[in-house]
């Protein structure tokens, strides 16, 4: 953090800054591309391990202003998380489509897979989970549009947890129906699972969101109780 400006160090939300560092800056060393479950993650905007050694940039490279890094991060997290959830719903739809095609074309023990009750129930459960999550996504999007990120943070946290869990479950069901082929490179399911499983960590792990939901729910319930007194 540069020293030629006063920053309110008493505010825990004003202790970080975001700085632009061009990749050709001396001291920026690109170490290696990272993988997810052993697969190249570049298709989803993969990440690089980068080492910074005595890197110097002018103070004009600070984004928005000194001490406003947290503000910048929070400004994009709400819409960003919602975007992840919409993609998760689309991914689950594709996985269910693949599941149904396999269930209708593959035969075991003298009948097609979908005629086995357990597979039929997987199909039904997947459709239920997708539709429930789609509606919760729309609800969160409406809250974000009408109330703003801060007021809609409970709805955003709820859908972040629900969408990641749902897409993991649907893709996992599809993999199970495909058997060994489901974890091979012949079908996109393994890569899809790597993506949706990552969502339970990206933009905050499930456990952090659950804690936030609990705190916000308690606050809302106590407000209702006080209003009735």
């Amino acid at each position: 953090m540069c020293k030629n400006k006063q920053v309110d160090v008493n505010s825990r939300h004003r202790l970080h800054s975001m700085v632009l560092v061009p990749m050709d800056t001396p001291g920026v060393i690109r170490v290696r591309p990272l993988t997810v479950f052993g697969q190249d993650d570049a298709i989803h905007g993969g990440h690089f391990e980068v080492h910074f050694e005595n890197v110097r940039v002018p103070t004009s490279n600070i984004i928005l202003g000194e001490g406003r890094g947290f503000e910048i991060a929070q400004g994009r997290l709400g819409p960003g998380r919602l975007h992840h959830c919409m993609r998760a719903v689309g991914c689950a739809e594709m996985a269910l489509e693949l599941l149904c095609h396999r269930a209708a074309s593959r035969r075991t023990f003298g009948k097609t897979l979908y005629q086995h009750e357990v597979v039929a129930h997987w199909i039904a459960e997947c459709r239920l989970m997708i539709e429930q999550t789609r509606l919760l996504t729309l609800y969160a999007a409406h809250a974000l549009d009408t109330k703003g990120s801060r007021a809609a943070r409970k709805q955003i946290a709820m859908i972040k947890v629900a969408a990641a869990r749902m897409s993991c479950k649907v893709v996992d069901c599809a993999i199970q129906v495909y058997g060994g082929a489901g974890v091979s490179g012949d079908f996109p399911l393994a890569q899809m699972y790597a993506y949706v499983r990552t969502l339970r960590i990206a933009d905050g792990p499930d456990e952090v969101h659950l804690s936030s939901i609990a705190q916000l729910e308690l606050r809302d319930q106590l407000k209702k109780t006080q209003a009735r007194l």
Side-chain angles (χ1 to χ4, degrees), residues 154-176:
K154 183 168 77 170
Q155 290 86 349
I156 293 169
M158 288 165 57
I159 191 55
K160 179 62 172 58
V161 174
R165 286 180 174 178
M166 176 278 296
S167 54
C168 266
K169 180 62 177 177
V170 173
V171 174
D172 187 67
C173 286
I175 288 174
Q176 196 70 9

Side-chain angles (χ1 to χ4, degrees), residues 127-184:
R127 174 49 62 196
L128 285 168
M129 288 188 292
I130 291 173
E131 293 305 324
Q132 289 168 348
T133 305
R134 192 194 311 278
L135 288 173
L136 187 55
T137 302
L138 290 169
Y139 174 57
H142 177 72
L144 180 64
D145 285 343
T146 57
K147 301 178 182 178
S149 293
R150 182 171 178 78
R153 60 189 186 278
K154 183 168 77 170
Q155 290 86 349
I156 293 169
M158 288 165 57
I159 191 55
K160 179 62 172 58
V161 174
R165 286 180 174 178
M166 176 278 296
S167 54
C168 266
K169 180 62 177 177
V170 173
V171 174
D172 187 67
C173 286
I175 288 174
Q176 196 70 9
V177 170
Y178 274 78
V183 294
S184 73

